[in-house]
Amino acid sequence: VRMRGRRLGIVTNAGGPGQLAADRAVDRGLPLARLDDATLAQLRALLPPSTADGNPVYVRGDASAQVYAQAAQTCLRDGEVDALLAILTPFALTNADQFAAELIAVATTQRKPVFTCWMGGEAVTAARQRFAENRVPAFPTPEAAVDAIAALATELEKGTTKRARPPSSPLVETRASRMPSTIPSPSNTR
């Protein structure tokens, strides 16, 4: 996962977890992306009028998987968004696996990283497995997701300030080079 900046977009189907993520992002030095007017207009056309403008983007609990994925894609297209956190809290009629499949279809076509927080314990295990299979980071809580994003952004900044690499040398012996090339099986050790 590579990030080009620290500005975080958040899409959620539940206001509370989205606000938890937003608060944690501020605490961890991740500014919330300020969505541009064109993005906000696209989201207003997509989402019900009862949703508020801004970031986090609240798609409501009754949104379909397709609408949720479209909201995520709209945010990812915004030049102010460097990374996206997608949060799902399953409700009675929410198919967490279907939401995961739709989001994966968006995430795998993006250059910007997408992180997920599918809340719900065992009810979302299959969805989290699907994310893992498609190399989309998944976390159990908004705070854990934001902490990981902040750590990645910090490492990115450290990496961009360190321009020089240590010289490679054939004399440097690594732990792997000292390992035997074959390991005896238990039956051959007696």
Side-chain angles (χ1 to χ4, degrees), residues 95-183:
N95 180 332
D97 197 44
Q98 182 183 6
F99 275 72
E102 292 287 336
L103 186 63
I104 288 166
V106 169
T108 56
T109 64
Q110 299 297 314
R111 298 197 76 165
K112 296 177 183 178
V114 175
F115 301 85
T116 65
C117 172
W118 255 223
M119 301 174 77
E122 290 181 17
V124 298
T125 300
R128 286 190 190 145
Q129 180 62 38
R130 186 181 285 241
F131 285 129
E133 291 166 359
N134 287 278
R135 302 178 58 123
V136 176
F139 300 90
T141 66
E143 297 91 344
V146 171
D147 287 350
I149 297 165
L152 184 62
T154 299
E155 286 303 310
L156 168 78
E157 288 171 349
K158 286 180 183 177
T160 59
T161 58
K162 293 180 184 176
R163 300 259 185 235
R165 291 186 175 173
S168 60
S169 167
L171 300 176
V172 176
E173 183 179 49
T174 65
R175 189 181 231 173
S177 67
R178 292 189 308 261
M179 297 293 289
S181 59
T182 60
I183 298 174

